[in-house]
Amino acid sequence: MKTAIVDDDPIVCQSLETILTATHTADVLWTARGGDDAVTRYFSSPASHPDVLLIDIQMPGKDGLTTAREILHRDPSARILFLTTFSDQDYIAQAIGLGAKGYLIKQDVSAVGPAMQAVMAGQIVLGADVLNKLSVSPTSTASTTPQTASGNHAHQSTAIGIRDLDVLSDRERDVAALVAEGYDNRQIAASLFLSEGTVRNRISAMLDKLGLTNRTQLAIAWINAHR
């Protein structure tokens, strides 16, 4: 597995690189201290695209959310895992709204390796603290949404976990449960004896019904509704 690290703290970059290399979890292609440098390095060549990109939220200049949004706009297949000290509900909601594959709080650096492997396996990685933050009512957070990091995405994502899933059919609920387990479309199709096209259509229908934009939000909505 190949990774890259974006963090304005050189100690964090060095520690992560040392651990990931020593444990043979991943080869670190490059590190960057800010968003602009990260975007430049990411798109410098196809060989510079990591399998999983680790990125902090708050950095001087272009922040992590803006950086991730730019990278995902140009490369929708990018796997981005946020690793930060900030457990603010709005940051988490915006990160998930962007389509990030996970959000971890910097508490135990040794947990990063397993999280990256889970992301590579198609799973969505969210810590318990993160899920707790996403369980709050949107009415209590809408007024504090940071507009500098796309208020539209943030406001939409804060509703995750309190949506009424009763609008889903039984078959859609079966699909949603597997999405929440981190299954990809092929695995869902095999498990439920459906075609991949049918799975894609059912997921699209669920996103429309629930007012969500991606399968990560769907997974979180399901997880929060069944906690």
Side-chain angles (χ1 to χ4, degrees), residues 185-186 189 194-204:
N185 289 353
R186 179 184 56 79
L194 301 170
S195 70
E196 289 189 47
T198 297
V199 172
R200 285 194 297 270
N201 290 339
R202 291 190 182 276
I203 291 175
S204 295

Side-chain angles (χ1 to χ4, degrees), residues 72 113 144:
L72 285 167
T144 60

Side-chain angles (χ1 to χ4, degrees), residues 5 7 9-23 25-26 28 54 81-85 104-117 125:
I5 305 165
D7 197 299
D9 188 339
I11 296 177
V12 171
C13 290
Q14 183 174 356
S15 297
L16 285 172
E17 183 171 5
T18 299
I19 291 173
L20 295 175
T21 302
T23 58
T25 300
V28 179
L54 300 175
L81 177 59
F82 282 97
L83 180 63
T84 181
T85 57
L104 297 179
I105 307 302
K106 290 179 185 175
Q107 293 178 330
D108 183 7
V109 177
S110 64
V112 176
M116 293 172 61
Q117 292 171 339
V125 181

Side-chain angles (χ1 to χ4, degrees), residues 66 69 94 98 145-155:
T66 303
R69 184 177 294 111
Q94 290 180 76
L98 288 172
T145 298
Q147 296 301 314
T148 57
S150 180
N152 290 337
H153 285 288
H155 186 268

Side-chain angles (χ1 to χ4, degrees), residues 19-60:
I19 291 173
L20 295 175
T21 302
T23 58
H24 305 289
T25 300
D27 295 323
V28 179
L29 297 177
W30 48 265
T31 62
R33 304 287 177 80
D36 288 322
D37 187 25
V39 173
T40 298
R41 288 176 178 269
Y42 189 98
F43 293 106
S44 61
S45 74
S48 297
H49 292 194
D51 295 312
V52 179
L53 176 63
L54 300 175
I55 187 168
D56 193 9
I57 290 286
Q58 284 197 358
M59 298 180 291

